[in-house]
């Protein structure tokens, strides 16, 4: 019996480096080079904004003048300013994550139909994040429609898609947490654990985007080549 070795899970730094290396290949279709360039920019932007938010959160007590023995000595105006800064960085972080995940999913859909992107500069179908009623980007979720997180049927047997299935399974925990929340809302301390699980949606989405990008540049790299004899 033959067993398939699981694809190693990449770090974000490995994904960014591989996107840059793959994008520099001369045998790549020029429009795919543009897509990989956008993916790399989105991944770098999300990484930087996530680090900035986490730094602000860690340094918040010092920035607002809190002390361990007397939190009341914190400066109210400073507290508001830091909380506002954290919220604004978090919004930018969400926008960058949406752009990264949507671009990665749109690229998978494009590969699945066996065609190079039609344009160097125009977004792929489904690459633009969907917006809520206030014009804010919505985090994509697993589904079957354009823009949803999924493994296109045409890629079901492609190398490296096991990473995508692993990433998608993480969202099952979120759905279970939502159902538990409906059953247990307001009941007891169990709700705190459910809420923590539901808060992991951005973390799972970042994992999925990394898995999609990694699959594109490794398992699906041959599908990104320029046709034989075509000019760059």
């Amino acid at each position: 019996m033959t067993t398939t070795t699981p694809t190693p899970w990449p770090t974000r730094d490995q994904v960014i480096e591989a996107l840059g290396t793959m994008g520099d290949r001369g045998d790549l279709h020029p429009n795919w080079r543009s897509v990989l360039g956008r993916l790399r920019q989105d991944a770098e932007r999300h990484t930087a904004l996530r680090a900035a938010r986490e730094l602000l959160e860690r340094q918040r007590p010092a920035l607002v003048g809190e002390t361990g023995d007397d939190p009341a000595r914190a400066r109210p105006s400073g507290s508001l300013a830091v909380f506002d800064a954290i919220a604004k960085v978090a919004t930018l972080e969400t926008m960058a994550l949406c752009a990264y995940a949507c671009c990665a999913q749109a690229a998978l859909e494009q590969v699945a139909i066996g065609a190079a992107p039609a344009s160097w500069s125009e977004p792929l179908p489904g690459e633009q994040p969907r917006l809520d009623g206030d014009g804010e980007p919505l985090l994509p979720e697993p589904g079957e429609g354009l823009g949803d997180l999924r493994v296109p049927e045409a890629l079901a047997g492609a190398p490296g898609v096991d990473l995508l299935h692993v990433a998608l399974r993480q969202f099952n925990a979120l759905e279970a947490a939502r159902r538990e929340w409906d059953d247990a809302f307001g009941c007891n301390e169990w709700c705190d654990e459910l809420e923590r699980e539901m808060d992991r949606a951005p973390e799972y989405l970042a994992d999925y985007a990394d898995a999609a990008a990694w699959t594109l540049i490794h398992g699906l790299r041959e599908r990104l080549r320029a046709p034989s004899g075509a000019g760059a």
Side-chain angles (χ1 to χ4, degrees):
M1 179 178 179
T2 302
T3 58
T4 302
T5 302
T7 305
W9 196 275
T11 66
R12 174 60 63 78
D13 286 344
Q14 288 175 323
V15 172
I16 291 172
E17 181 181 2
L19 284 168
T21 300
M22 185 68 176
D24 290 337
R25 289 177 55 137
D27 60 346
L28 212 64
H29 191 288
N31 293 353
W32 275 120
R33 283 203 295 271
S34 178
V35 172
L36 296 185
R38 296 200 296 275
L39 273 174
R40 184 182 185 186
Q41 290 176 354
D42 291 336
E44 289 176 331
R45 186 177 298 113
H46 174 251
T47 301
L49 289 166
R50 180 172 57 187
R53 174 185 54 78
E54 291 173 349
L55 178 62
L56 282 170
E57 290 174 343
R58 287 195 303 271
Q59 296 298 320
R60 185 191 62 78
L63 291 170
V64 303
E66 286 185 11
T67 60
D69 56 349
D70 188 9
R73 294 180 59 187
R75 298 181 297 274
S77 60
S79 298
L80 291 174
V82 174
F83 276 120
D84 185 55
I86 291 173
K88 288 179 178 178
V89 172
T91 297
L92 294 174
E93 179 189 356
T94 298
M95 294 172 63
L97 177 57
C98 281
Y100 180 33
C102 289
C103 184
Q105 183 64 42
L108 289 175
E109 303 286 355
Q110 189 70 36
V111 170
I113 65 174
S119 169
W120 170 274
S121 57
E122 292 297 317
L124 296 168
E127 183 175 341
Q128 298 284 17
R130 287 172 288 203
L131 306 177
D132 64 16
D134 296 322
E136 298 296 329
L138 291 167
L139 293 176
E141 297 180 338
E144 295 301 325
L146 184 65
D148 291 333
L149 308 179
R150 62 175 186 162
V151 179
E153 186 176 350
L155 301 180
V161 296
D162 57 311
L163 278 185
L164 296 173
H165 289 298
V166 170
L168 285 171
R169 282 198 294 270
Q170 293 185 123
F171 287 92
N172 294 339
L174 297 182
E175 184 56 35
R178 289 191 184 99
R179 290 196 297 267
E180 292 285 351
W181 180 271
D182 290 339
D183 294 339
F185 181 76
C187 58
N188 52 37
E189 67 278 2
W190 182 330
C191 293
D192 293 336
E193 178 61 30
L194 299 179
E195 188 172 10
R196 282 193 293 272
E197 184 63 47
M198 292 169 68
D199 285 344
R200 294 191 177 106
E203 173 188 337
Y204 294 160
L205 182 57
D207 284 347
Y208 180 85
D210 285 342
W214 194 254
T215 301
L216 281 169
I217 54 186
H218 286 83
L220 304 174
R221 70 168 66 191
E222 296 301 318
R223 307 187 190 207
L224 310 185
R225 292 179 182 272
S228 179

